[in-house]
Amino acid sequence: MIRAEKIREKLRREKLRWSKLYTFSCSRANPELIDSVDPLIGLQCPSFSRKVHCNQPSLHCRKHLHYPSNYISTTKYNIITFLPKAIFEQFRRVANLYFLLAAILSLTPIAPFSAVNMIAPLTFVVGLSMAKEAMEDWRRFTQDMKINKRKVCAHKEDGNFRYKKWHRILVGDVVKVEKDQFFPADLLLLSSSYEDGICYVETMNLDGETNLKVKRALDVTLPFDNENSFKDFCATIRCEDPNPSLYTFVGNLEYEKQVYSLDPNQILLRDSKLRNTSYIFGVAVFTGHDSKVLQNSTESPSKRSSIEKKMDYIIYIHFTLLVLISLISSIGFAVYTKFGIPNWWYLQPEKASTLYNPSMPTLSGIFHLVTALILYGYLIPVSLYVSIEVVKVLQAMFINQDIQMYDEETGKPAQARTSNLNEELGQVDIILSDKTGTLTCNQMDFLKCSIAGVSYGVGSSEVEMAAAKHIASEISGSPSWNCFPADYWDNNEDDSSIIELEGGITRKIEKDPIPKIKGFSFKDDRLLQGNWVQEPNDGAIIMFFRVLSVCHTAIPEHDEETGNFTYEAESPDEGAFLVAAREFGFEFYRRTQSSVFIRESYPNPSEREFKILNLMEFNSERKRMSVIVQDETGQIILLCKGADSIIFDRLSKNGKMYEADTMKHLNEFGEAGLRSLALAYKVLDESEYSTWNKEFLRAKAVIGPDRDAQLEHVADMMEQELILIGATAVEDKLQKGVPHCIDKLAQAGLKIWVLTGDKMETAINIGYSCSLLRQGMKQISISIMNTDFIELDARKTIKDNISLQITNASQMIKLEKDPHAAFALIIDGKALSYALEDDMKHHFLGLAVDCASVICCRVSPKQKALVTRLVKEGTGKTTLAIGDGANDVGMIQEADIGVGISGVEGMQAVMASDFSIAQFHWLERLLVVHGHWCYKRIAQMVCYFFYKNIAFGLTLFYFEAYTGFSGQSVYDDWYTILFNIILTSLPVILLGVFEQDVSSEVCLQFPALYQQGPNNLFFNWSRIIAWTANGLYSSLVLFFINISIFYDQAFQSEGRTADMATMGTTMFTCIIWAVNLQIALTMSHLTWIQHLFVWVSIGTWYVFLSCYGLMSPFISGNAFHILIESLGPAPTYWLTTFFMAVACNIPYFVQLSYQRLFHPLDHHVIQEMKYFKKDITDECMWTRESSKARQETKIGFTARVDAKIRQLKGKLQKKVSSLGVIP
């Protein structure tokens, strides 16, 4: 037993103390010991009042420290709040509020209808909507419970650990988290499976970064590395109160009468994941909604579409019209009551009630006002909301079942998590997107390089293939790639294009197959298989490969299945460099505390050790990384890689031999959409290094705010007089279809902003990869100034400087005269915090809107939400936010539409979203197809609904005015009940579900059609007024022509004249025919289903009228046998019906014909082209029209390829000119 313990201790001592590898951000500083007399030094303000008793969670209750549990909820309702909140949601719709009042008044004697007729429809509408809300919130609840019921190992007592559900974790609990598990709360790291207490953490769900972060425990807690050691553990944490800042933490740990300072390097945040570490022990500091990730979230909002909001204004107008005609009716009734009723002996005025008392005409008029308000209520259709709810649910079902948005790999379909915002998908103007996991799949491929002024790598990037295929299509006259429904470089059967780039020079652009080696797509026999030894500059090539294999901070892991090494690197670039070095014969296979080991296969197989003397890390300010090593011969070398602008400024005179050629190659790499780094080195004398190292160690020993500045100054002294070797070019692999999707969305007129927690350089490179940025685009970079030398009021100075940067940038855009100039705004999180302040945010927004592309980097989840809110409220346009992690929840909830990507890393974004998709590229179909359809369907449906109810409702007013404002309805009660529920409901629902102006393929080929939504072409005030006028015209024609026909002439051969029931039934029949034929004219996509239900609706009226007339007179009243005996045999009835149906629809038919002939809309032209099959018989015209059907854009592959084409054509023109050929 003792021997086993010794062996175990020996193995532990042999573990690497990885934290020694890190110089700047992760260097270990000695914990600051503070005199225990005053343990709250620096923590005296109210925002630092939290006190945590470690391993004693029950002590908090006894000391009245009320901390929330670890239970989380993202639902809108709970059992207690559901009824009041849901009812409030329903009755903030003004129509529902009106019908509630009408339902209450229907219980009084003054109601013209029975109470059931008013209460039943309202109950049905509200109940259906509340049930839908409950179902959607229940899904959120089940997702919450999946998280709350996760389990983690927690200390119970006496050194025993038991599994405990997440929601039962309390502040102060000691937990053990194992590899690849998420942290259940914000934890203070106590120890880990590594001897020096470091662990690796993946924070993708928090900041979107996939590179691993190194966290480290305090030395004093390192002994607590096994379960038994916590038996008597007791300590106290005093720290900051809960706040949303992910990158800061201030606190102290009190242990054994000593106080140790804490910083963010000891904090493990909830929803981040433990990686490459067997286990860690930690104590819960913030739980539940106190944790930083949930502090960055916002309450689930209640969202309404813009059409629904506009419907409120329409209802206000209709309600005003209702009140107006009701006032007219009540005044008229009061006049008739005072002057007419006394002369109408048959009404027995001496026995009149208060409802029509000649002696009290004012009171009678007031009572009649209420009657009129209820009678004319059909101007505000309660069934509209029922129909919309049904239609939206069916639309959501079609979205959920769209096989084109089904991910076969994960088995996840698209999902409309709420159906309230379907039509909003068709009105999006700005998309705010996360980067990691949303745009990228975090795969970097080494594609090309430049060594000693020679370019290597014959593979083609996606940008080069796109340009070549586009030019090839122009030359051959084949359909342009713009017309392809999917990624043309993925789906095109022709895998190559041969194109003449310059006179006499041709190049074959081949589609690269899926790389067999992850991270390595390089193709060039000159360097592969050791052939580089035959190159004239083999010495420079060796140094190039050594920089790749030595200058990094990665850790090798041996894959037993493949036999190769994989690398845990801080960035995807670094991993790709190591894979490339391995394939070139320089395999990094081992790291120790002070050395890295490389297995070199060429020119002579050997294993080399490079001692690491110093490491200077990459950061966003330095834009470079350097390592000083000593090889086996004792030679000291500085190896450096970084941005070309930084490296070139640090070259020695003798080191610029390859500068011009390398710069040319870097420009070519940039034009090809590749991200590049320059590589350089410097040989050091031992005395030179010794002198510098003393300065470096002195700066490293500094404790205080100037430490990083001094380290940077010393590092900068060393990183001078470099010798350039070459440059790398890697392709950032985006998710499948992302470039094509962004290009189509840009052609559709949408603006795309990227909000990411990544570093600025990474975000910029991704911008280039997905064509949000391109060569020639002018970049506006806003960042905070260096405040090291500012002593007074640094905040004001920084703020003024940022304001000046924004002003100068705005002025530069205004003065730009080139119409093709494109600007990109890039801003980091620190500068953004100032730009979002109240006195500057609108100035910042104005600049951002003027730019073609906006990238915000190093932003917190809270800042993402604030930017989204600023764009939404500042522009007044529809915003869509899309993301895949917990760090995106805030902006997803804040945007008008939130889309979550159901990726592999958690479901927090999906839980908070309105729609979810499995991959970003399906956003194109969700918006351009389903969004376009849903917007047009709902808009036409609402307009039609108001049309038919105006046409129907105003006839009631005309008849009442015609009959002395008597309050009498010309229609039977059952007619009015069935009008909206059965007789006209099915066609309008089919219009909202099946209407297609064009097919899905055409939507994708003509993306400019999408702009009909953001321009609100089908629901603007002119169109609403036109439909209202159409309804007014129809009501006038229906009433007055019917009156003129039936008033004073016989309508049957026996000479019988029409009574009120006959005329009312005839008029109602005309209405049924007119409104059903109107919707048939409105539909662009008539199938047998639409035909069936239009004719069924009309036929149902005759079936009902026949059955109703056959009932007892006590039920049918004046409609007894009305169709069989009275109307059916009368030719006048049938002729009037035909004439009225035609007369009511003639204006719409004439207007539609005129528009199609002289002022056609885009979809009218496309419909005619499809009808005459021009897409088949005249492909050139179809191609030409589809290429025109896009919004002018300065981002996306289209803009990028156009720029490449202009460049190639320029080269061709120069070549032709040099040959003296006159074109």
Side-chain angles (χ1 to χ4, degrees), residues 1033-1047 1049 1063 1066-1067 1070 1132 1135-1136 1139-1140 1143-1144:
Y1033 163 81
S1034 297
S1035 68
L1036 291 170
V1037 170
L1038 287 165
F1039 179 78
F1040 287 103
I1041 294 182
N1042 269 287
I1043 284 291
S1044 64
I1045 291 174
F1046 289 96
Y1047 180 67
Q1049 60 180 326
M1063 192 188 71
T1066 303
M1067 193 185 305
C1070 294
T1132 305
L1135 290 173
T1136 301
F1139 178 74
M1140 289 293 98
C1144 288

Side-chain angles (χ1 to χ4, degrees), residues 901-960:
I901 293 185
S902 51
V904 296
E905 296 297 337
M907 295 289 288
Q908 290 86 346
V910 171
M911 288 161 51
S913 67
D914 305 304
F915 299 87
S916 67
I917 52 179
Q919 294 186 33
F920 179 88
H921 70 89
W922 282 318
L923 186 64
E924 175 194 358
R925 186 173 181 85
L926 184 65
L927 297 184
V928 177
V929 177
H930 290 285
H932 174 72
W933 283 348
C934 290
Y935 161 73
K936 190 169 182 181
R937 289 165 177 171
I938 295 293
Q940 289 184 319
M941 176 183 172
V942 173
C943 288
Y944 171 78
F945 233 105
F946 283 112
Y947 150 79
K948 74 182 181 69
N949 278 74
I950 287 174
F952 172 63
L954 286 181
T955 58
L956 293 169
F957 171 68
Y958 302 150
F959 181 79
E960 198 211 17

Side-chain angles (χ1 to χ4, degrees), residues 813-1106:
I813 294 176
K814 290 179 181 179
L815 295 176
E816 179 60 52
K817 296 181 179 179
D818 183 4
H820 300 292
F823 294 87
L825 174 62
I826 302 166
I827 185 170
D828 63 17
K830 293 181 180 179
L832 188 62
S833 63
Y834 291 94
L836 291 176
E837 292 184 2
D838 290 340
D839 57 344
M840 200 187 300
K841 62 183 182 182
H842 293 293
H843 193 192
F844 164 71
L845 179 62
L847 170 62
V849 169
D850 288 338
C851 292
S853 182
V854 179
I855 298 177
C856 303
C857 21
R858 298 304 287 176
V859 294
S860 67
K862 199 77 170 182
Q863 287 178 318
K864 289 185 177 184
L866 290 174
V867 170
T868 305
R869 180 184 302 172
L870 175 63
V871 175
K872 180 178 68 174
E873 297 177 352
T875 63
K877 297 179 180 178
T878 303
T879 57
L880 180 146
I882 180 170
D884 73 321
N887 60 317
D888 304 315
V889 168
M891 73 172 183
I892 284 174
Q893 292 181 333
E894 187 64 47
D896 293 300
I897 306 171
V899 178
I901 293 185
S902 51
V904 296
E905 296 297 337
M907 295 289 288
Q908 290 86 346
V910 171
M911 288 161 51
S913 67
D914 305 304
F915 299 87
S916 67
I917 52 179
Q919 294 186 33
F920 179 88
H921 70 89
W922 282 318
L923 186 64
E924 175 194 358
R925 186 173 181 85
L926 184 65
L927 297 184
V928 177
V929 177
H930 290 285
H932 174 72
W933 283 348
C934 290
Y935 161 73
K936 190 169 182 181
R937 289 165 177 171
I938 295 293
Q940 289 184 319
M941 176 183 172
V942 173
C943 288
Y944 171 78
F945 233 105
F946 283 112
Y947 150 79
K948 74 182 181 69
N949 278 74
I950 287 174
F952 172 63
L954 286 181
T955 58
L956 293 169
F957 171 68
Y958 302 150
F959 181 79
E960 198 211 17
Y962 196 78
T963 57
F965 300 103
S966 61
Q968 175 67 51
S969 173
V970 69
Y971 307 120
D972 187 277
D973 284 356
W974 278 104
Y975 298 176
T976 57
I977 292 172
L978 296 178
F979 177 73
N980 281 318
I981 295 178
I982 294 177
L983 300 177
T984 60
S985 60
L986 292 179
V988 76
I989 289 175
L990 290 179
L991 174 70
V993 175
F994 293 112
E995 171 65 0
Q996 293 181 14
D997 54 349
V998 293
S999 66
S1000 60
E1001 291 80 9
V1002 173
C1003 284
L1004 296 173
Q1005 291 173 359
F1006 293 81
L1009 284 175
Y1010 182 81
Q1011 278 300 303
Q1012 293 179 342
N1015 294 333
N1016 208 11
L1017 187 64
F1018 294 100
F1019 205 65
N1020 53 34
W1021 283 112
S1022 61
R1023 190 167 291 261
I1024 293 168
I1025 292 171
W1027 276 99
T1028 302
N1030 191 20
L1032 176 62
Y1033 163 81
S1034 297
S1035 68
L1036 291 170
V1037 170
L1038 287 165
F1039 179 78
F1040 287 103
I1041 294 182
N1042 269 287
I1043 284 291
S1044 64
I1045 291 174
F1046 289 96
Y1047 180 67
D1048 56 0
Q1049 60 180 326
F1051 78 100
Q1052 285 186 328
S1053 57
E1054 296 85 355
R1056 285 188 294 179
T1057 58
D1059 58 4
M1060 187 180 72
T1062 300
M1063 192 188 71
T1065 304
T1066 303
M1067 193 185 305
F1068 194 82
T1069 303
C1070 294
I1071 292 173
I1072 295 300
W1073 272 92
V1075 299
N1076 278 290
L1077 289 180
Q1078 174 68 69
I1079 201 169
L1081 286 173
T1082 303
M1083 293 177 179
S1084 301
H1085 185 61
L1086 270 172
T1087 65
W1088 68 267
I1089 300 177
Q1090 283 94 325
H1091 272 292
L1092 174 65
F1093 280 94
V1094 167
W1095 297 115
V1096 164
S1097 296
I1098 296 173
T1100 302
W1101 161 240
Y1102 290 106
V1103 173
F1104 163 77
L1105 193 58
S1106 300

Side-chain angles (χ1 to χ4, degrees), residues 25 207-213 247 435-436 553 569-574 617-625 675 754-767 826-829 855-859:
S25 60
D207 56 17
E209 293 190 15
T210 54
N211 53 295
L212 303 183
K213 312 293 191 304
Y247 307 109
K435 181 192 73 67
T436 306
T553 59
E570 281 202 331
S571 68
D573 303 67
E574 207 166 69
E617 275 192 325
F618 183 97
N619 61 43
S620 58
E621 294 180 358
R622 286 171 42 77
K623 297 184 180 180
R624 63 191 183 278
M625 174 191 174
R675 51 194 292 177
V754 175
L755 311 179
T756 177
D758 267 358
K759 299 173 184 177
M760 183 176 289
E761 289 74 21
T762 306
I764 290 174
N765 288 327
I766 291 297
I826 302 166
I827 185 170
D828 63 17
I855 298 177
C856 303
C857 21
R858 298 304 287 176
V859 294

Side-chain angles (χ1 to χ4, degrees), residues 466-537:
K469 290 186 177 182
H470 187 75
I471 295 178
S473 68
E474 283 189 345
I475 294 174
S476 64
S478 61
S480 169
W481 60 269
N482 278 317
C483 303
F484 290 1
D487 256 336
Y488 59 91
W489 51 83
D490 286 340
N491 297 337
N492 193 1
E493 293 180 1
D494 183 15
D495 287 343
S496 63
S497 297
I498 300 178
I499 182 167
E500 186 175 342
L501 299 181
E502 299 181 20
I505 302 175
T506 61
R507 183 175 181 183
K508 186 174 182 179
I509 304 295
E510 296 185 352
K511 175 185 173 181
D512 294 333
I514 298 174
K516 297 179 181 179
I517 303 171
K518 184 178 179 181
F520 188 74
S521 299
F522 182 85
K523 293 180 180 180
D524 195 331
D525 292 338
R526 291 176 294 173
L527 293 186
L528 295 174
Q529 305 298 325
N531 293 334
W532 56 266
V533 298
Q534 301 175 9
E535 291 292 299
N537 295 309

